[in-house]
Amino acid sequence: MEVNELYIKKNIIAIDLKSFFASCECVERNLNGETTPLVVCDPTRNGAMTLAVTPYLKSLGVKGRTRVYDLPKNIKIIKVPPRMGLYQRKSKEVINIYREFVADEDMHVYSIDEVFLDVTNYLNYYKKSALELAKVILDRIKEKTGLTAVAGVGPNILLAKVCMDLDGKHSKDNIGIWTYDDVTTKLWNITPLSKMWGIGPRMEKRLNNLKIFTIGDLARYNRYALKDKFGILGEDLWYHANGIDLTKISDLNKPPKEQSISHSQILYKDYDETNISIIIKEMVDHLTRRLRNIKKKASIIGFGINYSKAIGGGFGHTVKLDKYTGDTNEIVEICLNIFDKYYENLPIRKVSIYLSGLTDINGVQLNLFESFENIILKDKVDKAVDLIKEKYGANSLLKASSLLSDSTIITRNLKNGEEKY
């Protein structure tokens, strides 16, 4: 398929509820979030992380996620504890408003305060453009719930989302619209890279090492070299940098039906982006050992996060590969990139990973970018490690990272009776 054929033209609206937690608290208290210095946090802990601040505080330069002790001292700030029941109720009210305009199959609830709507087949019925319909929906949300929403309109999910983040959230009428003509003039100008949806600080650093500093740099980089470096995620980065996204709402809403193996872990303390990677690596290592044990490889990687009970919510997403894999490092990389894309800087208490689309291992799968000798060597090392763990116990051979305080693998193996794998 030619690249030009990949520029599908849908009418997608991405909508986000502005400063959602803080705005819900203001609405319940008959306060104006644009003029009220309110913060959602644990008011009993000076070192706690804020969960949300009002637009008023943001206008003063206060970040949505900051330590309570870093809040301005010259302002009498209202500190309120989080009420997840309230936020879930308000979220359902807004989702019911979306249902007034589109069917469920044309709506994907991305998070508690964010949604994608495919209005392509509704514009003739409403006799409105996508931009006009978006304005009607935002007005309805304000009228019925008191909440302010922002929106981005685009020809695919990616451009609608980036438009919302970069234009909608900063425009006076809370809405923006991008077309494919804006790819070279707006999308390519994005820098630093982490301002782009789907690129986290970790990936940004790796791309910077390749002398890629703007989305335009990424779009002009060799597509196949990116795939060689990052696998299917590298190719996705190249497509997204060129404004290409073939994802459909129906794809996002479709649950996997294939045979799968999974692993989830409830954490004994709050984790965040600084230490969650060690948990992810340990869990993937466990799953790939299971794959080898049943002589399978996977083509679908699923990854999910649940936030702490006081906050609630989380996310779960999948990546469909164009090949089968049982490689630990490759699956870890995919999970970390999903994490970078969807993580909301909230305390993490549960991690879930599943591998599906399984197939039997029939020989060794060759890779044009890796020598046959290296593939065979990695396979032999994996099998040797499995044999040692099977004979002497799961804790008999551990990575150095397993000795770090944030690791749970030693305790978990003992608790689950995995002295013998």
Side-chain angles (χ1 to χ4, degrees), residues 164-421:
M164 178 189 74
D165 288 340
L166 300 184
D167 276 8
K169 291 181 179 181
H170 304 287
S171 67
K172 290 183 179 180
D173 59 358
N174 296 317
I175 194 166
I177 182 168
W178 281 14
T179 69
Y180 286 118
D181 292 336
D182 294 303
V183 169
T184 58
T185 59
K186 294 183 179 180
L187 186 69
W188 283 10
N189 289 332
I190 294 175
T191 188
L193 297 172
S194 53
K195 287 178 65 177
M196 170 80 162
W197 181 48
I199 300 180
R202 193 176 55 87
M203 177 58 75
E204 177 185 56
K205 184 176 180 180
R206 297 181 68 185
L207 292 171
N208 287 167
N209 289 337
L210 298 176
K211 309 300 181 186
I212 298 173
F213 298 100
T214 70
I215 297 302
D217 293 339
L218 183 58
R220 290 183 288 267
Y221 205 85
N222 185 284
R223 166 183 165 189
Y224 301 103
L226 287 170
K227 187 172 184 181
D228 176 26
K229 184 75 174 177
F230 304 110
I232 190 172
L233 295 171
E235 192 168 37
D236 283 345
L237 284 170
W238 185 87
Y239 279 126
H240 288 177
N242 282 283
I244 298 169
D245 184 6
L246 300 181
T247 308
K248 295 180 288 188
I249 298 292
S250 57
D251 295 332
L252 298 174
N253 292 336
K254 189 184 300 180
K257 298 180 181 179
E258 294 89 349
Q259 177 192 2
S260 66
I261 62 171
S262 62
H263 184 30
S264 63
Q265 184 178 169
I266 297 175
L267 304 169
Y268 61 88
K269 66 177 183 179
D270 289 344
Y271 281 68
D272 57 27
E273 74 279 359
T274 65
N275 56 1
I276 196 62
S277 62
I278 190 171
I279 300 297
I280 295 171
K281 290 172 183 176
E282 290 175 352
M283 291 176 65
V284 172
D285 188 56
H286 174 79
L287 283 171
T288 52
R289 291 204 310 273
R290 287 177 60 187
L291 276 181
R292 292 191 294 272
N293 191 47
I294 61 176
K295 295 179 171 58
K296 299 281 188 181
K297 289 189 175 184
S299 62
I300 298 174
I301 315 300
F303 178 80
I305 287 291
N306 288 85
Y307 299 125
S308 67
K309 187 177 180 180
I311 299 164
F315 61 85
H317 296 277
T318 61
V319 170
K320 177 73 170 69
L321 307 178
D322 56 3
K323 63 182 179 65
Y324 293 93
T325 185
D327 183 84
T328 301
N329 292 334
E330 184 173 13
I331 295 172
V332 166
E333 186 69 27
I334 291 167
C335 290
L336 288 174
N337 276 283
I338 295 174
F339 177 81
D340 283 346
K341 186 172 183 178
Y342 296 101
Y343 179 55
E344 299 173 285
N345 296 318
L346 298 173
I348 302 164
R349 274 305 178 99
K350 183 179 179 182
V351 181
S352 302
I353 303 173
Y354 70 86
L355 311 177
S356 62
L358 305 185
T359 189
D360 294 331
I361 297 176
N362 294 309
V364 177
Q365 183 172 344
L366 298 179
N367 183 334
L368 292 175
F369 304 104
E370 188 172 8
S371 72
F372 178 74
E373 289 78 9
N374 284 343
I375 295 172
I376 294 297
L377 179 60
K378 283 200 311 187
D379 185 58
K380 286 183 176 179
V381 170
D382 287 339
K383 288 179 179 177
V385 170
D386 291 346
L387 286 172
I388 292 171
K389 288 177 178 288
E390 183 178 349
K391 185 173 182 179
Y392 298 105
N395 284 336
S396 62
L397 190 61
L398 297 167
K399 296 178 179 178
S401 60
S402 300
L403 302 178
L404 297 174
S405 60
D406 290 319
S407 171
T408 63
I409 189 69
I410 296 176
T411 303
R412 186 157 41 87
N413 285 342
L414 290 172
K415 183 177 179 181
N416 294 337
E418 291 190 47
E419 292 86 354
K420 288 291 184 69
Y421 173 72

Side-chain angles (χ1 to χ4, degrees), residues 20-34:
F20 180 55
F21 291 178
S23 295
C24 287
E25 297 292 347
C26 285
V27 168
E28 288 295 295
R29 291 169 167 76
N30 293 317
L31 300 172
N32 183 348
E34 300 292 339

